[in-house]
Amino acid sequence: NAGVTQTPKFRVLKTGQSMTLLCAQDMNHEYMYWYRQDPGMGLRLIHYSVGEGTTAKGEVPDGYNVSRLKKQNFLLGLESAAPSQTSVYFCASSPTVVGETQYFGPGTRLLVL
Amino acid sequence: AQKVTQAQTEISVVEKEDVTLDCVYETRDTTYYLFWYKQPPSGELVFLIRRNSFDEQNEISGRYSWNFQKSTSSFNFTITASQVVDSAVYFCALYSGNTPLVFGKGTRLSVIA
């Protein structure tokens, strides 16, 4: 039981490049989330999904797209990376959203030059 | 709107001292859930506790204890006899109103040997 895993762990991009971050969970959770963490800002929700085939915007969705084609996977895409997207990205999952504990992946450190 | 305030940005204590991390929340809902997460220097987010709004009993787990007071909208976290391994960033979070988790900005705790 690996819990929540994220790929890659670290990535360097040039401005304008695109990439996809992969999140996978093996806990059969319905809900999945993408956060970004910046110094002094805590964790801010980018997008989330309440089930396979669904997505919704969070607090800071601009510049990102997501897809949930399979229940266990949640993809975060950057179509044209900008230096402002330099951050640590965390994926999380929970059985439902109603007060349930979210379990986090180890994070992906992204540097956009 | 839901909000979590962790007024202490950084705290530094000497090993074996007790330390309390403050968390103040705002919500108009009568049903809500509060969480604490720990983020050690390695970067992962570790779940510590979940408490619902109908359970105001304080909780103790080893050297950790939590004081939930609805009258002051606070959910404070105390570490007794702190150790160097307690050095981390601690996040308080709130779920209410059927919206995803809202995090505070975190408190960085440094325990000095």
Side-chain angles (χ1 to χ4, degrees):
Chain A
N1 190 341
V4 181
T5 58
Q6 293 182 232
T7 309
K9 289 184 170 51
F10 176 70
R11 184 76 182 268
V12 179
L13 287 179
K14 294 181 180 178
T15 297
Q17 287 185 320
S18 63
M19 79 162 294
T20 300
L21 281 67
L22 170 64
C23 176
Q25 53 95 4
D26 61 4
M27 296 176 284
N28 201 34
H29 287 171
E30 289 294 331
Y31 289 69
M32 297 186 74
Y33 314 83
W34 275 108
Y35 293 89
R36 61 177 288 173
Q37 183 180 23
D38 303 294
M41 298 296 294
L43 283 94
R44 294 183 291 170
L45 184 65
I46 305 172
H47 285 282
Y48 64 102
S49 168
V50 302
E52 183 177 322
T54 74
T55 63
K57 293 181 180 180
E59 180 186 355
V60 289
D62 294 340
Y64 305 95
N65 56 76
V66 288
S67 64
R68 184 102 179 264
L69 299 180
K70 292 182 179 181
K71 185 177 182 178
Q72 62 268 32
N73 295 338
F74 195 29
L75 305 179
L76 177 70
L78 287 73
E79 289 186 349
S80 180
S84 60
Q85 294 177 305
T86 293
S87 189
V88 180
Y89 292 86
F90 286 96
C91 176
S93 70
S94 64
T96 66
V97 74
V98 182
E100 289 286 348
T101 301
Q102 291 186 17
Y103 296 93
F104 284 81
T108 294
R109 188 173 296 275
L110 176 65
L111 175 61
V112 182
L113 302 175
Chain B
Q2 295 82 1
K3 185 178 179 182
V4 175
T5 301
Q6 294 180 256
Q8 304 151 308
T9 305
E10 294 190 29
I11 300 175
S12 184
V13 299
V14 176
E15 203 171 22
K16 297 184 183 177
E17 287 185 347
D18 299 346
V19 58
T20 296
L21 310 182
D22 297 333
C23 173
V24 174
Y25 61 91
E26 295 178 27
T27 179
R28 293 182 180 180
D29 297 292
T30 55
T31 300
Y32 52 90
Y33 296 81
L34 294 160
F35 301 80
W36 276 94
Y37 284 86
K38 174 182 179 180
Q39 187 177 40
S42 53
E44 73 273 22
L45 282 148
V46 179
F47 164 73
L48 294 178
I49 189 170
R50 167 180 176 263
R51 177 53 53 88
N52 73 58
S53 54
F54 299 107
D55 183 2
E56 285 194 75
Q57 283 194 348
N58 291 334
E59 175 127 356
I60 298 174
S61 176
R63 296 184 296 107
Y64 294 173
S65 62
W66 290 269
N67 184 303
F68 177 27
Q69 293 199 337
K70 291 175 74 170
S71 60
T72 56
S73 296
S74 65
F75 187 43
N76 296 338
F77 174 30
T78 296
I79 302 175
T80 303
S82 61
Q83 299 177 1
V84 172
V85 293
D86 296 325
S87 296
V89 180
Y90 291 87
F91 291 97
C92 180
L94 166 70
Y95 168 84
S96 71
N98 206 31
T99 58
L101 215 53
V102 172
F103 284 83
K105 294 186 178 181
T107 297
R108 181 178 299 278
L109 173 66
S110 297
V111 181
I112 303 166

